[in-house]
Amino acid sequence: MRVRFRGITVREVALIDGPAGWGEFGAFLEYEPPEAAHWLSAGIEAAYGDSPVPRRDRVPINATVPAVPAAQVPEVLARFPGARTAKVKVAEPGQSLADDVARVAAVRALVPVVRVDANGGWTLEQAVRAAAALGPLEYLEQPCATAEELAQLRRLVDVPVAADESIRKATDPLRVVRMRAADIAVVKVAPLGGVGRLLDIAAAVGIPLVVSSALDSAVGMSRGLLAAACLPELPHACGLGTGGLFVEDVAEVALPTDGFLPVGPVVPDPARLAGLAVPADRRQWWIERVRECYRLL
């Protein structure tokens, strides 16, 4: 990673070379098999299943700004040429609301549309204060941890509320919608079990969707772009530009053009695969994890 993101500096994934193409199994290391199995299902779908036909050949993406100091914001945004929307990480452990305000202000000086992502890190009271302090926002993504808190927050603030973890980590992803706890649904291919499952949810939720990445490699990112390209409507920029957060990737990463990324399959570069290969003990750990998760599918 170029900077620490989601608490990590190195990203590990397993790639599957199948008859239909390349798939990715990239459940974060701390995820237990019941949750990680959905990610394996997404990788198997990509490697062995049929892919839907996209409606568009490019997808608008947002810049992603980690919880960096405000002075570092221009450097981060330079990796997302043409982006008109930026998602800013807030509520980072060990940081203050003042840090968030400074970071958001630095982003807003360079990008016209700003959304923030708290990853459920605020209490209801903290979220209300943050909404007032951060200035105009496209939406607050997962400001609080529970769907109940999101529903309460919607009644207390004028900023739209987006649900992420309340959808992808829930046994019933549609519960947050039935509770009227979100204006926007943030969805990710891997945690939901694949492109097909994401499109099924999209047809059922009845609110706008933003397709986002799960810190995927170029292989996994291609599936997110495919899912976004298949949606009937795409009113918001998608969080599918996180490839710019990696120092190295398994394939050449396309840079955004005018804030858009192209849609299409990705084939890893053999030399990059060799150079990024994990040691034998880590490879075996992933093989065992595949076996354990596959039993649950």
Side-chain angles (χ1 to χ4, degrees), residues 57-74:
D57 60 7
R58 64 177 194 158
V59 168
I61 60 109
N62 63 249
T64 299
V65 181
V68 297
Q72 203 173 334
V73 163

Side-chain angles (χ1 to χ4, degrees), residues 48-125:
Y48 292 90
D50 295 326
S51 292
V53 177
R55 298 168 181 261
R56 51 187 71 82
D57 60 7
R58 64 177 194 158
V59 168
I61 60 109
N62 63 249
T64 299
V65 181
V68 297
Q72 203 173 334
V73 163
E75 172 193 337
V76 173
L77 290 178
R79 302 183 200 120
F80 301 92
R84 299 171 182 84
T85 301
K87 179 169 85 169
V88 185
K89 289 291 182 179
V90 293
E92 183 80 359
Q95 295 188 6
S96 67
L97 178 57
D99 295 321
D100 294 337
V101 169
R103 185 182 313 113
V104 167
V107 172
R108 191 177 284 116
L110 298 170
V111 177
V113 179
V114 180
R115 58 181 68 152
V116 299
D117 182 7
N119 291 117
W122 287 323
T123 65
L124 180 62
E125 294 76 14

Side-chain angles (χ1 to χ4, degrees), residues 86-275:
K87 179 169 85 169
V88 185
K89 289 291 182 179
V90 293
E92 183 80 359
Q95 295 188 6
S96 67
L97 178 57
D99 295 321
D100 294 337
V101 169
R103 185 182 313 113
V104 167
V107 172
R108 191 177 284 116
L110 298 170
V111 177
V113 179
V114 180
R115 58 181 68 152
V116 299
D117 182 7
N119 291 117
W122 287 323
T123 65
L124 180 62
E125 294 76 14
Q126 288 171 330
V128 171
R129 286 199 300 272
L134 290 170
L137 296 171
E138 183 184 23
Y139 59 74
L140 295 163
E141 181 174 332
Q142 198 68 42
C144 305
T146 69
E148 289 77 9
E149 288 172 311
L150 298 187
Q152 287 181 271
L153 183 64
R154 284 190 72 212
R155 296 193 290 268
L156 296 172
V157 300
D158 295 329
V159 185
V161 172
D164 175 7
E165 285 87 348
S166 290
I167 294 173
R168 65 180 169 89
K169 285 181 170 286
T171 53
D172 178 3
L174 300 182
R175 177 173 175 263
V176 70
V177 177
R178 289 196 300 272
M179 291 180 60
R180 301 183 182 276
D183 301 283
I184 296 158
V186 178
V187 290
K188 301 177 181 180
V189 167
L192 291 176
V195 173
R197 175 67 172 143
L198 184 150
L199 295 177
D200 287 343
I201 290 173
V205 294
I207 59 175
L209 263 63
V210 172
V211 181
S212 189
S213 87
L215 209 55
D216 309 307
S217 80
V219 170
M221 194 68 70
S222 70
R223 299 297 289 180
L225 289 164
L226 173 63
C230 290
L231 292 173
E233 297 179 2
L234 201 59
H236 300 280
C238 289
L240 296 169
T242 55
L245 300 176
F246 296 137
V247 176
E248 298 286 349
D249 207 331
V250 297
E252 188 70 35
V253 177
L255 287 175
T257 302
D258 295 328
F260 288 78
L261 280 175
V263 176
V266 167
V267 177
D269 178 345
R272 289 172 181 258
L273 288 180

